[in-house]
Amino acid sequence: MFEPIGFPVFFMFLLYFAGRGLFAKGSICKGDFVVEYRGDIISDAELQRRRKRYHTSSAAFMFEFKWRGKSWCIDASREDGSFGRIVNDDHRHPNCKIKKIDMNGKPHLCLFALNDIKEGEEITYDYGEDYPWRTQHI
Ligand SMILES: C[S@@+](CC[C@H](N)C(=O)[O-])C[C@H]1O[C@@H](n2cnc3c(N)ncnc32)[C@H](O)[C@@H]1O
């Protein structure tokens, strides 16, 4: 698993429009690894099984993606204290980008800084699809 360098690097804060958000405790340089979106790495079949059991609040933590021609999902619905699952969406000015990293033949979703990030700035990335909140607040 990938660990952020120089822990503690983040703090959590409650945003009126998005629930919890992740914020930088110190400055982060462009290109730096920031945090991993951790959870269970599951197949598409397992995703369909879990989807039937989950409440929508848990389903919000299912990250679906394609990797090497197959559909995958990181299920981060468990409150395990990891930071990646707390990062919110910003499709206009994200400061991080998700990259798929191969580790022992399995995909890991890692966030890297798109630009220098200042202390106190919220960590964000573009979730990549259209989400209802994008038209609900500016
Ligand atoms: C992976 S969670 C992110 C952490 C979440 N804010 C929390 O409190 O646990 C994804 C959920 O956060 C909320 N969210 C993320 N980005 C948002 C945004 N820009 N505006 C409003 N809600 C957002 C949505 O409810 C979404 O389903």
Side-chain angles (χ1 to χ4, degrees):
M1 294 280 189
F2 293 85
E3 294 288 350
I5 303 156
F7 185 85
V9 182
F10 309 112
F11 64 96
M12 272 185 242
F13 193 76
L14 210 54
L15 298 155
Y16 77 93
F17 59 88
R20 295 167 296 179
L22 194 72
F23 291 76
K25 246 189 177 171
S27 53
I28 297 169
C29 295
K30 179 178 177 175
D32 277 357
F33 163 69
V34 178
V35 71
E36 180 180 355
Y37 187 91
R38 285 189 191 175
D40 300 341
I41 306 175
I42 58 171
S43 65
D44 197 41
E46 179 60 19
L47 165 66
Q48 303 314 328
R49 269 193 292 278
R50 292 189 186 191
R51 240 201 205 127
K52 286 185 192 141
R53 298 201 321 256
Y54 282 5
H55 185 266
T56 44
S57 56
S58 296
F61 292 91
M62 311 289 264
F63 191 120
E64 293 169 62
F65 59 99
K66 297 262 188 238
W67 189 66
R68 297 193 174 154
K70 276 177 68 183
S71 298
W72 295 78
C73 173
I74 303 285
D75 177 1
S77 57
R78 205 172 339 111
E79 289 282 347
D80 61 357
S82 66
F83 290 119
R85 62 193 296 283
I86 305 302
V87 179
N88 286 322
D89 168 59
D90 185 345
H91 64 293
R92 289 202 183 94
H93 306 290
N95 52 26
C96 288
K97 184 182 171 61
I98 285 251
K99 288 188 186 172
K100 297 161 201 164
I101 307 286
D102 182 332
M103 228 178 121
N104 301 324
K106 287 275 171 70
H108 286 253
L109 300 179
C110 294
L111 267 70
F112 290 85
L114 283 171
N115 44 260
D116 291 345
I117 300 172
K118 295 191 190 77
E119 180 183 345
E121 215 178 296
E122 185 179 2
I123 307 295
T124 59
Y125 66 97
D126 183 346
Y127 281 17
E129 290 170 26
D130 213 9
Y131 288 94
W133 56 77
R134 290 182 174 179
T135 50
Q136 283 163 9
H137 62 88
I138 303 165

